[in-house]
Amino acid sequence: MSHANPGVHHHTVGDVVVTALNDGQFTADIAYVVGIAAEDGTGLLRDSFRVVPPRITVSCFLLRMAGRTVLIDAGGGGCMGTLLGHAKARLAAIGVAPAAVDTVLVTHAHVDHVTGLLDDDGGAAFANAELVIHQAETAFWLNPEVQAKAPAAAQDSFTYAQRGLAPYRDRIRTVADGAEVLPGVTAVHLPGHTPGHTGWRIASGADTLLIWADLVHLPGIQFARPEAGMAFDSDPEQARATRARALDMAAADRLTVAGMHLDFPTFGHVRRAGSGYAFEPLVWTPTAEGLFPTG
Ligand SMILES: [Zn+2]
């Protein structure tokens, strides 16, 4: 008998069913954390009963609404062996064929978000999907002049971004902050981690959910110390300012949030705690889980 979490979790936002799909988890290095002392980071991990070095969870999301089937990011595909790339099996487990996905909303073009867009041959895994992404993201990763000026350490990221987006090049829709890309689904530009890093706000009836992408990578550290960033933030100062602003908004507005690197199944609320914040995972309810068979 398997004791594993199936990596699928349903949450309703008005008439929209939002499903978190766990793609996997990988071990990070405490050296990825910038802006605070390394011993402060490991202390916070130990205080929250987490492993050191920390692990980063990767998830993506499915929206089912009014005849639409929408994926938000696609996970890391085969970019880290079998550690990532489980999102497609999660989709299969809930009976969603890749061809049924009509839209993919991309939060940003990092390897652990776009490699899952590919099939085994490097083609489009989601053959019928339009790809929606912030205009600053394609203007950065797909621009040879930008790439030529980027440091050697960043060149792989350009390769992965271009590879992930290439099969969709004829059906990419670029958008700006505030664009309503589908009924009730709005782009929220959260720049800094990458230039076009974007969360997606889903509103239906009286409910709202902000899927904030990579605002937080290490929940054991960054809620308590939101000034802590990641070495792969493209603009660390801007990422820090964006995180401060978004956490303040989430706490003040009592927003329900979810994120690609929060602890699965990722849904919850942010509250102020001391000089930082704390994350309160959403309490599971059988009503939401029972809406769709999970296999
Ligand atoms: Zn990421």
Side-chain angles (χ1 to χ4, degrees):
M1 188 175 110
S2 171
H3 295 275
N5 182 310
V8 172
H9 185 90
H10 303 297
H11 170 71
T12 52
V13 180
D15 295 330
V16 182
V17 178
V18 182
T19 303
L21 307 164
N22 180 259
D23 194 54
Q25 195 178 61
F26 64 92
T27 297
D29 189 315
I30 198 66
Y32 293 177
V33 181
V34 297
I36 65 169
E39 57 266 34
D40 290 359
T42 54
L44 284 165
L45 292 169
R46 292 206 171 90
D47 288 350
S48 59
F49 303 93
R50 292 164 187 272
V51 294
V52 178
R55 292 186 189 139
I56 294 182
T57 297
V58 179
S59 297
C60 49
F61 297 86
L62 185 76
L63 311 182
R64 284 179 284 184
M65 48 191 277
R68 308 296 302 253
T69 302
V70 180
L71 194 61
I72 305 184
D73 288 354
C79 77
M80 289 192 193
T82 57
L83 293 175
L84 301 182
H86 301 285
K88 288 190 184 84
R90 312 300 191 205
L91 279 177
I94 59 171
V96 176
V101 174
D102 54 70
T103 310
V104 181
L105 310 179
V106 175
T107 64
H108 64 301
H110 272 166
V111 60
D112 53 320
H113 300 255
V114 299
T115 308
L117 291 168
L118 303 175
D119 63 19
D120 292 342
D121 302 317
F126 303 98
N128 300 316
E130 179 188 37
L131 191 150
V132 182
I133 189 168
H134 194 282
Q135 59 198 18
E137 198 66 359
T138 50
F140 183 76
W141 297 109
L142 304 185
N143 184 333
E145 289 172 29
V146 174
Q147 182 176 4
K149 289 185 207 138
Q155 293 301 316
D156 280 354
S157 293
F158 281 87
T159 301
Y160 291 129
Q162 290 158 13
R163 193 179 290 162
L165 300 178
Y168 298 84
R169 71 172 74 79
D170 296 331
R171 43 197 163 107
I172 291 180
R173 173 162 51 125
T174 56
V175 297
D177 183 39
E180 186 174 14
V181 298
L182 293 165
V185 181
T186 307
V188 180
H189 192 202
L190 299 169
H193 181 51
T194 64
H197 180 254
T198 292
W200 300 97
R201 183 191 291 261
I202 298 132
S204 177
D207 296 343
T208 300
L209 170 71
L210 173 63
I211 297 178
W212 70 23
D214 284 21
L215 194 78
V216 168
H217 289 84
L218 292 170
I221 295 174
Q222 289 174 292
F223 284 107
R225 298 285 301 274
E227 71 271 32
M230 300 300 285
F232 35 86
D233 291 334
S234 64
D235 183 335
E237 281 307 316
Q238 188 183 41
R240 186 173 302 139
T242 291
R243 188 165 41 255
R245 179 170 52 80
L247 289 173
D248 180 65
M249 176 188 72
D253 295 351
R254 298 177 65 83
L255 267 182
T256 306
V257 301
M260 277 56 190
H261 301 306
L262 297 179
D263 301 310
F264 194 80
T266 94
F267 300 97
H269 295 93
V270 178
R271 64 174 169 83
R272 295 187 174 285
S275 57
Y277 297 88
F279 185 73
E280 300 289 353
L282 204 67
V283 174
W284 179 84
T285 65
T287 313
E289 273 297 301
L291 275 176
F292 287 89
T294 54

